[in-house]
Amino acid sequence: MPHAPQSFFNLYSHDFARLSVVVPRCRVADPAYNAAETVKLAGQAAAKGAALVAFTELGISAYTCDDLFHQRALLDGCLAGLQTVLEASKTISAALIVGVPLRVDHQLFNCAVVLSGGRIHGVVPKSYLPNYGEFYEARQFSAGDEAISTEIALLGQTVPFGSALLFEVENLPLFKFHVEICEDVWVPIPPSSFAALAGATVLVNLSASNVVIGKADYRHQLVSQQSARCLSAYLYSSAGRGESTTDLAWDGQALIYENGELLSEAERFQDESHLIYADVDLERLSRERMRQTTFGQSMRRHREEVAAFRTVRFALELPAQPVLALERNVARFPYVPSNPALRDKRCNEVYNIQVQALVQRLSSSGIKKVVIGISGGLDSTHALLVCAKAMDRLDLPRTNIIGITMPGFATSARTLLQARQLMEFVGCTASEIDIRPSCIQMMKDIGHPFSEGEPQYDITFENVQAGERTNHLFRLANFHNGIVIGTGDLSELALGWCTYGVGDHMSHYNVNASVPKTLISHLVRWVAESRQFGAQDSAVLLAVVNTEISPELVPGKAGQEDSGAPAQITESVIGPYELQDFNLYYTLRFGFSPSKVAFLAHAAWRDRSIGGWPNEAHVVRNQYALKDIKHNLGIFLRRFFQTSQFKRTCVPNGPKVGSGGSLSPRGDWRAPSDSESVVWMEDLKNVPDA
């Protein structure tokens, strides 16, 4: 039996499958021509690395034969055409699904035939025959459940027959597919719904489907929703050029969806045969079903329908070349849409979720004031903007926001100025506390060498400052009868980049708790560009976005402070946030192995001009070599799985904003504080350095 490829750079090694939908140009009632066109296009799709090639409904005969379907010459010609395709399949390394009329038990059925390697694996008859409007299928065909036989003799082979068939590729275990035909997906409960519950991850629809105004959009909705509800990939074809236009027209639409997301679509109304293909993530579909336990509940509720399915297993010669690159647009910023309109919509929604959550917390507690530390950096800036909008929503003055900036030993002139400007334009109650005297006293009390003038900038030196700031915030909250608003974000929580307890780890309510760093930068930019606080103040927000991210706890070398910029750069320690947010998304949301996360990162961050994908519109700052991806993923894995969970087990309340997940122990992420990272680090070794 052939095995799945093991090369890191081959997409099949990571549970992807390249699937193709083909719309051949046909001739009505000319099976020899249609079979030859099928063979040609099947070879083209297989040459591109496709494991499955789906054609159109009744493609061997053409759909618009009407009463010609009851002519023996046509039916015999269709068998001969199917024989042509079967013979050609011996040299085509893909499973083919072709549409053909077949005589079974003295009845005629509209069928999909699944074949590969010279073998017919099964025949699926159409379940629902439209007999309304322009359709008269019940005039020529019988519905699938009218069949008596469950096996038929076809071209010298005995093959399974029936609508409840699943086809499983043995050497790609997550690849199990089901076939239905046209109208089957238009009914209230399509056969593919039960097939998905029975284990099919890929649903295929061979359709003819004439075109009328608005029908193409409705097909999109239908296929998108079916793939989303079934947590599956869905391949859809419809007939194109060559079908009879006596009373109808045909647009040749082809679609591939994965869990509600469009992966590929054909241009409609083409004159020639055409095909599309997409790389479907089978593991993602499997993990979504595992995560959504209601999918399993549906399986049990419909156990009788599920039990009716038979599984046909066969192996395929999967593309084994060392490099078969993923031709799928993997977003570099999974938390941030690349489309500007969608990005603005996302920012607006996240911002309003945060504001609404804070409004509810203040309303339910009867508290009218908030206390927030303003560093002049990204996170506290956005949290301040959320506080300001919350006060507006509550009809409270913004002076009820007690904003404090607390310069320490490494505060830069730039961020201090930005903090002052932010508090001024927001209109909060602004104050400034120099924490250096209290920090020196603390270090003197514990005997730290810095209190005696020694430049020892260790973790204690850093955390004394973080602790003093938080201590001031909580005491000010007591004094003003307010609550402390947290500013730390999801990315920092994932990496443990916060001072535990009496530090930036703690607050009364954290509005940024589930917002990753890459999204926060766009939120602040969106607030600026949409002029939420006025045109003049937008310049300050854009300056914050363009400031290097830094905790500003360790002073720079002598004279360095004159530059006005932070001396300590966060990303030099924990890696680029744009990579770490990528790692977080695929680890937290899907539980992918490190080697697959690295494969996806390599697909996303390689030079797009080579990969063929256009650069994302919002930002293209870097390309990362595979060795850089591997190195930074190693940093993420150690920090996320081994050293940081104890901080996440006791985080303050805060709203979940996205389906990418949160790290609250009361929500998306519950994990032991004393786990090891060994298995993840071992898997990382499967990633080559180049």
Side-chain angles (χ1 to χ4, degrees):
M1 183 183 77
H3 297 285
Q6 296 301 311
S7 168
F8 174 83
F9 297 101
N10 186 312
L11 64 93
Y12 285 94
S13 299
H14 301 278
D15 289 313
F16 284 93
R18 182 163 293 170
L19 311 179
S20 180
V21 177
V22 177
V23 179
R25 179 165 178 167
C26 69
R27 290 181 182 174
V28 178
D30 190 350
Y33 173 88
N34 296 335
E37 192 73 2
T38 297
V39 169
K40 180 182 74 173
L41 294 164
Q44 291 177 9
K48 291 180 177 291
L52 178 69
V53 189
F55 290 84
T56 54
E57 180 180 12
L58 294 170
I60 298 298
S61 58
Y63 177 79
T64 48
C65 291
D66 292 330
D67 287 353
L68 299 183
F69 281 121
H70 282 188
Q71 294 290 313
R72 177 172 179 174
L74 177 61
L75 297 178
D76 287 349
C78 287
L79 281 179
L82 183 61
Q83 179 69 57
T84 298
V85 176
L86 183 63
E87 285 297 318
S89 73
K90 295 177 181 179
T91 59
I92 296 173
S93 58
L96 311 181
I97 310 175
V98 297
V100 64
L102 291 177
R103 293 159 285 185
V104 177
D105 298 330
H106 312 292
Q107 300 180 86
L108 186 64
F109 293 93
N110 178 344
C111 295
V113 178
V114 179
L115 53 94
S116 71
R119 296 293 305 173
I120 298 174
H121 303 300
V123 176
V124 180
K126 189 172 184 175
S127 296
Y128 293 92
L129 303 178
N131 218 49
Y132 56 86
E134 62 264 46
F135 303 110
Y136 297 90
E137 287 188 32
R139 177 183 173 93
Q140 289 99 24
F141 297 101
S142 296
D145 59 4
E146 296 175 25
I148 299 171
S149 299
T150 58
E151 285 188 339
I152 61 173
L154 183 60
L155 301 181
Q157 302 180 28
T158 301
V159 301
F161 180 82
S163 58
L165 293 179
L166 300 179
F167 301 90
E168 181 178 315
V169 179
E170 294 177 347
N171 47 329
L172 199 59
L174 297 181
F175 187 16
K176 183 181 287 190
F177 63 92
H178 171 264
V179 186
E180 59 190 6
I181 301 174
C182 199
E183 185 77 7
D184 292 349
V185 77
W186 296 71
V187 300
I189 305 178
S192 57
S193 296
F194 298 122
L197 294 177
T201 51
V202 175
L203 310 176
V204 183
N205 188 306
L206 305 193
S207 179
S209 190
N210 65 298
V211 63
V212 293
I213 295 170
K215 195 171 185 179
D217 291 337
Y218 189 75
R219 291 189 198 119
H220 271 290
Q221 296 173 26
L222 199 65
V223 174
S224 173
Q225 286 299 309
Q226 186 66 357
S227 73
R229 274 194 301 270
C230 293
L231 299 175
S232 70
Y234 201 101
L235 280 62
Y236 182 88
S237 66
S238 58
R241 180 70 184 276
E243 290 285 0
S244 173
T245 57
T246 301
D247 290 300
L248 304 174
W250 314 87
D251 64 343
Q253 188 172 28
L255 305 169
I256 301 177
Y257 273 85
E258 177 186 294
N259 195 16
E261 177 185 354
L262 178 64
L263 297 186
S264 185
E265 176 182 13
E267 180 184 346
R268 298 161 59 211
F269 302 108
Q270 295 190 53
D271 285 332
E272 301 302 327
S273 300
H274 53 278
L275 62 84
I276 60 171
Y277 60 94
D279 297 339
V280 169
D281 192 340
L282 300 172
E283 184 185 6
R284 177 187 178 189
L285 299 171
S286 175
R287 290 192 167 276
E288 283 294 271
R289 295 179 179 188
M290 183 171 63
R291 186 179 71 92
Q292 293 188 23
T293 53
T294 49
F295 190 88
Q297 292 172 24
S298 296
M299 292 167 59
R300 292 188 292 275
R301 184 177 292 268
H302 298 286
R303 58 173 61 88
E304 290 185 10
E305 291 90 345
V306 169
F309 280 86
R310 294 174 286 161
T311 299
V312 179
R313 295 178 175 85
F314 60 93
L316 282 175
E317 281 290 344
L318 298 173
Q321 53 261 51
V323 178
L324 185 61
L326 193 64
E327 295 196 28
R328 171 183 171 122
N329 193 8
V330 181
R332 292 175 172 177
F333 303 90
Y335 294 104
V336 185
S338 58
N339 180 283
L342 292 178
R343 187 168 66 251
D344 288 348
K345 183 178 179 181
R346 173 76 55 84
C347 288
N348 181 64
E349 187 167 24
V350 170
Y351 189 45
N352 278 286
I353 289 171
Q354 293 176 279
V355 171
Q356 176 71 13
L358 181 56
V359 165
Q360 176 61 27
R361 176 50 55 96
L362 292 172
S363 300
S364 62
S365 64
I367 292 173
K368 299 182 183 303
K369 292 186 177 181
V370 297
V371 176
I372 181 171
I374 308 300
S375 68
L378 202 57
D379 293 340
S380 64
T381 295
H382 183 59
L384 177 61
L385 299 175
V386 171
C387 291
K389 281 295 180 184
M391 291 300 169
D392 294 347
R393 288 273 303 276
L394 289 165
D395 292 324
L396 294 171
R398 291 184 186 175
T399 51
N400 281 19
I401 304 170
I402 313 299
I404 308 102
T405 187
M406 292 171 277
F409 299 109
T411 300
S412 67
R414 174 172 180 159
T415 55
L416 182 58
L417 175 62
Q418 288 171 179
R420 292 167 177 166
Q421 292 173 328
L422 287 164
M423 291 188 288
E424 180 181 358
F425 86 69
V426 164
C428 66
T429 298
S431 60
E432 192 167 315
I433 299 174
D434 186 344
I435 63 168
R436 288 174 291 185
S438 57
C439 288
I440 290 173
Q441 182 61 51
M442 170 68 77
M443 286 187 275
K444 187 177 295 183
D445 292 343
I446 65 175
H448 191 278
F450 182 81
S451 64
E452 300 299 327
E454 294 187 28
Q456 183 170 319
Y457 306 133
D458 55 12
I459 190 67
T460 303
F461 175 82
E462 294 189 47
N463 285 349
V464 162
Q465 295 172 80
E468 281 299 302
R469 286 181 173 128
T470 304
N471 189 28
H472 279 80
L473 293 174
F474 273 92
R475 300 299 71 81
L476 282 163
N478 295 153
F479 186 62
H480 291 283
N481 192 28
I483 62 172
V484 176
I485 301 301
T487 61
D489 61 47
L490 182 69
S491 308
E492 293 177 342
L493 202 55
L495 295 160
W497 193 251
C498 55
T499 301
Y500 183 78
V502 185
D504 55 326
H505 167 264
M506 193 48 60
S507 64
H508 288 117
Y509 195 73
N510 185 0
V511 294
N512 288 342
S514 67
V515 188
K517 187 78 74 178
T518 48
L519 180 54
I520 284 186
S521 67
H522 285 282
L523 282 164
V524 175
R525 185 183 296 277
W526 171 79
V527 170
E529 293 177 348
S530 58
R531 307 293 173 86
Q532 300 275 326
F533 290 86
Q536 185 174 357
D537 302 319
S538 296
V540 180
L541 298 178
L542 294 175
V544 170
V545 171
N546 294 319
T547 301
E548 285 277 11
I549 299 170
S550 171
E552 294 197 316
L553 296 172
V554 176
K557 297 177 181 178
Q560 189 173 350
E561 63 273 8
D562 295 338
S563 68
Q568 187 182 15
I569 305 302
T570 298
E571 291 175 302
S572 66
V573 178
I574 61 173
Y577 274 116
E578 54 194 14
L579 274 185
Q580 301 302 30
D581 278 1
F582 186 98
N583 296 333
L584 172 62
Y585 179 80
Y586 286 103
T587 300
L588 176 62
R589 180 66 177 81
F590 299 111
F592 287 160
S593 65
S595 55
K596 181 162 185 174
V597 174
F599 177 75
L600 290 168
H602 180 60
W605 290 96
R606 70 179 186 263
D607 185 348
R608 292 288 175 82
S609 63
I610 297 175
W613 290 105
N615 287 320
E616 279 141 318
H618 61 298
V619 60
V620 182
R621 289 198 295 170
N622 299 305
Q623 274 82 39
Y624 292 104
L626 187 56
K627 65 177 182 179
D628 300 318
I629 291 170
K630 182 178 181 180
H631 170 73
N632 287 292
L633 181 53
I635 293 173
F636 173 84
L637 296 172
R638 281 188 292 270
R639 297 187 73 100
F640 185 80
F641 287 107
Q642 186 156 340
T643 67
S644 303
Q645 179 58 30
F646 77 99
K647 297 181 180 181
R648 297 190 287 263
T649 57
C650 55
V651 294
N653 293 181
K656 176 181 175 178
V657 303
S659 60
S662 77
L663 289 171
S664 168
R666 300 168 295 277
D668 287 347
W669 186 252
R670 303 179 189 191
S673 295
D674 45 7
S675 66
E676 300 292 336
S677 61
V678 175
V679 292
W680 291 273
M681 298 305 293
E682 281 297 311
D683 184 81
L684 186 63
K685 294 178 181 178
N686 295 323
V687 181
D689 293 321

